[in-house]
Amino acid sequence: MDIDMAALRLLERERDIPMDVIVPAIEQALLTAYHREDGSLRDARVELDRKTGHVVVWAREEAPVDEEGNRGEPGPEFDDTPSGFGRVAAATARQVIVQRMRDLEDEAILGDFRGREGDVVAGVIQQSSDPRVVRVDFGTVEGILPSAEQVPGSPTPTATGCAASS
């Protein structure tokens, strides 16, 4: 099975997600997909070649246990990539990449406001299609100011708190 490394490099440039984050996430997701296959071995790992995009599942037989209960040495590693694994693996990799992008974007938004709870921040108030909800533009992120957080009777919405959204 092969993964298009050009697409991953494009994703790295466009979304500013380093390959050192993308590749281990894909390998972990493919290992999970492998373990869901019938006949998979517990002692396995997935290796994604960063140059060619070729994916190999390396597995080894469990170490035998002797009569005294001692575990011996496990067998040598061998290629145990299932046939037809490409379709399942591609779908799994896609899901992992999308989820990882969401996680990184959420972390970037939360990183802007981490440690600023209770601080006064400035933003531009914008009206939304719903008159009870007011949007506040903080520059890098936009927040939603629901009616419960607005000062009652104020002609211009005034914040008592704001929930960030992406």
Side-chain angles (χ1 to χ4, degrees), residues 49-77:
D49 187 320
R50 292 174 187 236
K51 290 182 179 143
T52 65
H54 187 68
V55 175
V56 178
V57 177
W58 294 104
R60 63 174 67 196
E61 296 288 335
E62 289 189 33
V65 179
D66 63 13
E67 297 84 27
E68 299 167 359
N70 297 326
R71 190 169 292 277
E73 289 294 317
E77 278 190 328

Side-chain angles (χ1 to χ4, degrees), residues 26-42:
I26 291 173
E27 288 174 341
Q28 184 60 43
L30 295 177
L31 182 61
T32 301
Y34 166 77
H35 283 301
R36 290 183 184 149
E37 294 278 318
D38 289 334
S40 65
L41 297 172
R42 197 167 40 160

Side-chain angles (χ1 to χ4, degrees), residues 2-10 19 48 51-54 97:
D2 293 322
I3 291 181
D4 185 4
M5 294 305 289
L8 290 182
R9 286 187 198 93
L10 180 65
M19 277 292 207
L48 170 62
K51 290 182 179 143
T52 65
H54 187 68
I97 290 170

Side-chain angles (χ1 to χ4, degrees), residues 59-133:
R60 63 174 67 196
E61 296 288 335
E62 289 189 33
V65 179
D66 63 13
E67 297 84 27
E68 299 167 359
N70 297 326
R71 190 169 292 277
E73 289 294 317
E77 278 190 328
F78 60 94
D79 182 349
D80 195 32
T81 308
S83 61
F85 191 56
R87 182 184 54 79
V88 173
T92 303
R94 186 179 318 111
Q95 288 174 337
V96 166
I97 290 170
V98 168
Q99 184 60 46
R100 190 65 183 139
M101 286 175 15
R102 284 187 194 133
D103 292 346
L104 290 172
E105 288 171 356
D106 289 349
E107 184 61 35
I109 290 169
L110 290 174
D112 289 345
F113 291 96
R114 194 175 309 274
R116 294 179 60 186
E117 187 174 339
D119 291 352
V120 176
V121 294
V124 178
I125 294 178
Q126 300 173 340
Q127 190 171 7
S128 71
S129 58
D130 184 357
R132 297 170 297 189
V133 177

